[in-house]
């Protein structure tokens, strides 16, 4: 597959890294040569200096043969213009990164497709969804709802209160048990576990379950003493904070602390119809935090543009007794450090955006792909085609690649946990967990008329 990326910023470089692992024919374009320096040696890609809105540059990149053009420059208009030009020059699909929430209205999708833009990516919206889902559960590091909640994926940090430590997973995740452990992060190592693996203290374990068993997962993971989130303090009043304020449940009381006075005025205008308090001040000020009731706050969310500030602020909030902390960490070099400090949930907009773009590369019917950044693995939702390999035998007899597991499926509207004896049917939406390099290998299992 040939992919052209317009913009070698954070999202563009991260997407290029993902593509290089799959050995895709990838060209990364940027007008600034210094942004492209060294990338060809580091990743298996080609780079091209030039404007992504230039017809000559796009032709030099081979746009007439492109399966996908991605516009991820910092300027929304340039991304959209580049996509329209690329489409008219022959690109089969296009994706534009935007920062205008109006464009995300589903009713506008046919309009943009007529313009030559197949998909729109708004990283701040993706981040806000992740944050809001996480705030609904003070005891979980990450929550992913699949098919509107037919299946639930929960990432949980295990402490010594967990009831299922040090026991082989084959004893815990049998055919009749209401959950599967589909991934484990242990120190710097990521496991796609098998039946002989065990859960240890300080693991981050990812549980696949259904909605009715969430209280049970909470109990066995030893998290019943965590208070539900009602009061939230957000540090930083950027676009992500606005989206969180607009998507948070009504029962949550939100306060946004913003250092810039003019931005505070803008926030009050943007959120005048939302029950959110905007406070002018420094979210690192202990006196201000205490004055605003940090001692009665269940969640602290640091969303400034500075990763170090966000990490330190979350550490401070932890010391002041806040159970749930969320830090925006845009510099991937800091993610590992943030994990080692045990600050809580880490949000990275560029990995979220890259994951949504990455799904468009896959040939099989894939409706959702997510990179689980903290466990260096992917979760992909494949739809089984009629006659596909995955429908011809029980799961245990499919010969899945090492490091791949199927956690569950959705049949109709019903979420079903998968075990070795499960027979997948055509039309099932199947959740596959694997390391990045195995994702493409799974396509052949779900394509139509694949010979077994």
């Amino acid at each position: 597959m040939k992919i052209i990326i317009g913009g070698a910023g954070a999202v563009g470089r991260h997407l290029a890294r993902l593509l290089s692992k799959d050995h895709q024919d990838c060209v990364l374009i940027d007008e600034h040569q210094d942004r492209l320096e060294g990338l060809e040696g580091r990743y298996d890609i080609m780079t091209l200096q030039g404007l992504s809105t230039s017809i000559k540059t796009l032709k030099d990149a081979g746009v007439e043969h492109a399966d996908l053009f991605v516009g991820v420059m910092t300027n929304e208009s340039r991304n959209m213009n580049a996509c329209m030009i690329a489409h008219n020059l022959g690109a089969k699909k296009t994706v534009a990164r935007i920062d205008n929430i109006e464009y995300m209205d589903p009713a506008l999708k046919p309009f943009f497709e007529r313009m030559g833009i197949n998909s729109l990516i708004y990283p701040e919206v993706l981040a806000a969804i992740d944050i809001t889902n996480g705030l609904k559960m003070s005891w979980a590091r990450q929550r992913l709802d699949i098919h509107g909640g037919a299946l639930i994926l929960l990432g949980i940090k295990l402490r010594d209160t967990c009831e299922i430590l040090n026991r082989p997973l084959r004893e815990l995740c049998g055919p009749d048990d209401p959950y599967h452990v589909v991934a484990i992060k242990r120190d710097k190592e990521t496991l796609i576990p098998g039946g002989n693996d065990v859960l240890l203290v300080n693991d981050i374990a990812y549980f696949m379950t259904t909605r009715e068993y969430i209280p049970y997962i909470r109990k066995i993971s030893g998290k019943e003493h965590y208070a539900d989130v009602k009061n939230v303090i957000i540090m930083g009043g950027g676009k992500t904070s606005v989206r969180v304020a607009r998507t948070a449940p009504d029962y949550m009381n939100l306060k946004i602390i913003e250092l810039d006075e003019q931005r505070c005025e803008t926030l009050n205008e943007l959120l005048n119809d939302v029950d959110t308090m905007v406070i002018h001040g420094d979210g690192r000020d202990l006196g201000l935090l205490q004055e605003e009731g940090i001692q009665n706050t269940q969640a602290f969310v640091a969303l400034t543009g500075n990763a170090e500030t966000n990490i330190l602020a979350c550490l401070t909030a932890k010391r002041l007794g806040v159970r749930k902390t969320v830090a925006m960490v845009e510099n991937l070099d800091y993610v590992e450090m943030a994990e080692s400090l045990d600050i809580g949930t880490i949000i990275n907009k560029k990995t979220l955006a890259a994951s949504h773009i990455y799904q468009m590369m896959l040939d099989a019917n894939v409706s959702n792909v997510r990179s689980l950044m903290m466990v260096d693995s992917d979760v992909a939702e494949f739809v089984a085609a009629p006659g596909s390999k995955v429908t011809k035998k029980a799961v245990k007899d499919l010969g899945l690649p090492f490091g791949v597991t199927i956690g569950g499926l959705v049949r109709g509207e019903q979420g079903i946990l998968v075990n070795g004896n499960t027979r997948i049917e055509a039309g099932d939406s199947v959740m596959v967990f694997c390391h990045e390099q195995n994702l493409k290998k799974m396509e052949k299992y779900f394509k139509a008329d694949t010979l077994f």
Side-chain angles (χ1 to χ4, degrees), residues 237-450:
K239 294 178 182 178
T240 305
S241 301
V242 173
R243 302 317 313 165
V244 171
R246 289 200 162 277
T247 55
D250 292 338
Y251 64 82
M252 290 186 187
N253 303 310
L254 271 65
K255 296 179 180 180
I256 298 177
I257 301 177
E258 169 57 44
L259 188 58
D260 184 271
E261 186 174 2
Q262 186 174 354
R263 180 60 182 173
C264 287
E265 295 177 4
T266 302
L267 288 171
N268 280 319
E269 294 174 4
L270 292 172
L271 301 174
N272 64 347
D273 58 338
V274 179
D275 188 18
T276 298
M277 182 181 295
V278 178
I279 300 162
H280 176 227
D282 190 339
R284 298 166 295 181
D285 185 336
L286 293 180
L288 177 61
L289 291 175
Q290 290 169 342
E291 184 180 329
E292 295 302 331
I294 191 73
Q295 65 275 10
N296 297 315
T297 297
Q298 292 81 41
F300 181 88
V301 184
L303 300 178
T304 75
N306 187 288
E308 298 99 316
T309 297
N310 294 339
I311 292 169
L312 291 172
C314 285
L315 286 173
T316 300
K318 284 269 191 182
R319 282 196 289 266
L320 293 173
V322 180
R323 285 278 194 179
K324 178 78 173 182
T325 58
V326 180
M328 182 77 78
V329 181
E330 286 300 278
N331 189 333
L332 286 174
D333 294 334
Y334 291 162
V335 170
E336 188 174 307
M337 178 188 71
E339 290 177 7
S340 67
L341 293 171
D342 199 19
I343 63 168
T345 301
I346 299 168
I347 298 292
N348 184 283
K349 290 182 292 187
K350 63 188 175 188
T351 59
L352 292 173
S355 295
H356 279 256
I357 296 167
Y358 187 73
Q359 76 183 51
M360 300 190 69
M361 299 164 35
L362 301 172
D363 297 328
N365 189 353
V366 184
S367 56
N368 193 18
V369 177
R370 290 291 306 276
S371 286
L372 302 177
M373 181 177 59
M374 288 195 296
V375 288
D376 187 28
S377 63
D378 290 326
V379 50
E381 182 180 353
F382 287 89
V383 178
S388 57
K389 183 176 180 178
V390 77
T391 64
K392 296 181 177 179
K393 291 187 178 182
V395 168
K396 67 180 184 335
D397 299 320
L398 288 174
L400 298 176
F402 178 77
V404 173
T405 188
I406 296 176
L409 60 84
V410 178
R411 182 172 296 160
E413 298 298 322
Q414 182 184 4
I416 302 171
L417 295 177
V418 170
N419 60 63
N421 296 319
T422 302
R423 294 293 297 256
I424 295 170
E425 299 177 3
D428 287 349
S429 294
V430 183
M431 302 308 301
V432 176
F433 295 80
C434 58
H435 296 295
E436 288 175 348
Q437 63 269 23
N438 285 325
L439 195 56
K440 290 289 288 184
K441 295 179 182 178
M442 291 304 298
E443 287 184 311
K444 64 182 181 181
Y445 287 84
F446 291 88
K447 289 182 180 179
D449 300 322
T450 303

Side-chain angles (χ1 to χ4, degrees), residues 137-316:
M137 295 181 172
S138 61
W139 48 277
R141 290 288 177 93
Q142 188 172 5
R143 169 177 170 162
L144 177 61
D145 287 25
I146 300 155
H147 275 269
L151 290 172
I152 307 289
L153 179 67
L154 299 173
I156 303 172
K157 181 84 171 188
L158 304 182
R159 308 294 186 182
D160 53 13
T161 54
C162 178
E163 299 177 6
I164 54 174
L165 298 175
N166 305 310
R167 293 172 57 191
L169 291 180
R170 65 176 180 273
E171 297 179 5
L172 302 173
C173 306
D176 299 322
D177 289 299
Y179 67 90
H180 286 163
V181 177
V182 293
I184 301 170
K185 177 63 179 294
R186 181 170 298 152
D187 298 323
K188 297 180 180 181
E189 183 182 8
T190 297
L191 302 175
I192 302 297
N196 294 324
D197 289 301
V198 300
L199 297 173
L200 303 177
V201 171
N202 294 325
D203 283 352
I204 298 177
Y206 280 77
F207 295 82
M208 176 67 78
T209 189
T210 50
R211 189 183 299 275
E212 64 268 29
Y213 290 109
I214 291 176
Y216 178 72
I217 301 298
R218 183 175 186 175
K219 175 183 178 298
I220 63 173
S221 60
K223 303 290 184 177
E224 289 185 304
H225 60 288
Y226 277 62
D228 292 331
V229 173
K230 293 184 179 179
N231 300 317
V232 182
I233 291 179
I234 300 176
M235 183 176 76
K239 294 178 182 178
T240 305
S241 301
V242 173
R243 302 317 313 165
V244 171
R246 289 200 162 277
T247 55
D250 292 338
Y251 64 82
M252 290 186 187
N253 303 310
L254 271 65
K255 296 179 180 180
I256 298 177
I257 301 177
E258 169 57 44
L259 188 58
D260 184 271
E261 186 174 2
Q262 186 174 354
R263 180 60 182 173
C264 287
E265 295 177 4
T266 302
L267 288 171
N268 280 319
E269 294 174 4
L270 292 172
L271 301 174
N272 64 347
D273 58 338
V274 179
D275 188 18
T276 298
M277 182 181 295
V278 178
I279 300 162
H280 176 227
D282 190 339
R284 298 166 295 181
D285 185 336
L286 293 180
L288 177 61
L289 291 175
Q290 290 169 342
E291 184 180 329
E292 295 302 331
I294 191 73
Q295 65 275 10
N296 297 315
T297 297
Q298 292 81 41
F300 181 88
V301 184
L303 300 178
T304 75
N306 187 288
E308 298 99 316
T309 297
N310 294 339
I311 292 169
L312 291 172
C314 285
L315 286 173
T316 300

